[in-house]
Amino acid sequence: MGKDSYHLNTKLLGLIGHPIKHTYSPFIHNVTFELKKLDYIYLPFDIPPSTLKTAVKGMVALGIKGFNVTIPHKENILQLMHNVSEEASIVGAINTVVNDLGKLSGFNTDVHGVYETLLPYKDEITGNEMCVVGAGGAARAVIYTLIRYFKPNIIFLINRTEQKAESLKNYFIEKMKFDNFKTRELFPPDLVDVFQNSKLIINATSVGMFPDSDDIITNLESSFNKDQIVLDLVYNPPQTQLLKLAASKGATILDGIKMLVYQAAKSFELWTGEQMPVEQLHKSLQLFIKN
Ligand code: ATR
């Protein structure tokens, strides 16, 4: 949409975070508005923590329809909401806010992103052993999704700092009454059997992300097999070293761009009531990132 097309009725959406360096959300949403001929614009706003409250007040005053929330505000924004969805409340983080005439509702559409990405493999995954690497905010959304929708037999919770995995385990035991966790330190030689026996492996750390694209959670190829599904939440580069290694052993691989587009699609739906053409956006984003 050209600049001239914006007019009195253009509806505003956005993203708040700090710093806002690498984000594909403006691309995803603005391309979709153009494809669907919707009169919206999506803008990034760099908001330091000290001005979060006033920024939110300002956005409401300007009549913003909604916004995404990223680091470092995902947790702190909770206290500024009038309503918090079940998944955002348990995950303890909000990535999408809907403004209904000053009444703010918070959601966590990362959960939807993970769910939709795994959905085609639901029968294979359900009831099996699963392995989550990471113990931060992304891992919390992943663990919630697995417990809520995929009935894990066991979740292996692996993290560089094992103590954080242990805390997360206790958190979910309390919040979701699920206690089939086993925690491990991220030390690849000790984890070959754990990975090998997992039907699903999810990397919910930032390991492998640009510019450290050579990094990988395990470079031991004996960790992978053809019956596995491996999801990497890292989306830049789209094909991480982890996905390449897993694919070389015949595993089914799912990239972080897919999950990114699905989470954006859910936010989009919450704001506009419309569906995002996810396949098309997945392809556009892959091309956009490559160039
Ligand atoms: P996010 O919200 O994206 O999950 P986060 O809460 O900062 O971000 O969590 C980052 C995760 O990536 C953590 O699990 C972190 O491990 P620690 O808990 O030990 O810090 C993990 N991580 C980041 N860099 C890593 C690295 N170089 N090696 C291993 N794990 C790493």
Side-chain angles (χ1 to χ4, degrees), residues 221-233:
E221 61 170 36
S222 50
S223 306
F224 304 101
N225 65 65
K226 65 171 178 44
D227 297 322
Q228 287 170 334
I229 292 151
V230 179
L231 166 61
D232 200 338
L233 296 192

Side-chain angles (χ1 to χ4, degrees), residues 8-167:
L8 255 178
N9 298 319
T10 303
K11 297 182 190 73
L12 177 63
L13 292 167
L15 162 72
I16 59 168
H18 181 75
I20 301 233
K21 275 193 201 140
H22 302 287
T23 169
Y24 296 118
S25 296
F27 175 87
I28 297 173
H29 290 288
N30 288 319
V31 165
T32 309
F33 300 145
E34 206 166 318
L35 285 171
K36 300 203 64 147
K37 307 222 177 316
L38 294 173
D39 196 6
Y40 282 82
I41 183 168
Y42 181 106
L43 297 173
F45 299 103
D46 195 325
I47 309 293
S50 58
T51 57
L52 176 65
K53 203 171 169 181
T54 38
V56 169
K57 271 192 179 170
M59 289 192 296
V60 170
L62 290 174
I64 197 165
K65 294 295 168 195
F67 53 95
N68 281 132
V69 184
T70 188
I71 291 164
H73 306 310
K74 281 181 160 194
E75 283 96 10
N76 290 337
I77 197 98
L78 272 150
Q79 64 206 33
L80 305 178
M81 297 294 109
H82 300 96
N83 299 307
V84 177
S85 66
E86 187 214 272
E87 86 287 340
S89 161
I90 294 180
V91 171
I94 284 171
N95 79 328
T96 302
V97 174
V98 175
N99 175 22
D100 184 12
L101 303 173
K103 208 167 149 220
L104 300 179
S105 299
F107 302 85
N108 188 311
T109 69
D110 288 339
V111 166
H112 182 83
V114 174
Y115 176 72
E116 287 289 334
T117 305
L118 298 178
L119 187 57
Y121 308 94
K122 191 166 186 182
D123 291 347
E124 275 177 68
I125 295 169
T126 299
N128 272 303
E129 310 206 343
M130 309 174 187
C131 174
V132 178
V133 185
R140 289 206 305 274
V142 164
I143 294 165
Y144 173 88
T145 312
L146 296 181
I147 297 174
R148 179 88 164 76
Y149 300 108
F150 296 93
K151 297 190 174 64
N153 177 21
I154 290 182
I155 297 180
F156 288 102
L157 201 43
I158 298 169
N159 200 42
R160 175 176 60 183
T161 317
E162 196 181 348
Q163 187 49 48
K164 281 202 213 163
E166 197 62 30
S167 305

Side-chain angles (χ1 to χ4, degrees), residues 168-184:
L168 205 53
K169 166 182 145 173
N170 292 329
Y171 179 82
F172 276 100
I173 290 174
E174 196 204 316
K175 290 275 179 187
M176 295 185 84
K177 312 289 172 223
F178 174 91
D179 62 2
N180 276 342
F181 285 105
K182 289 203 164 95
T183 62
R184 294 276 192 280

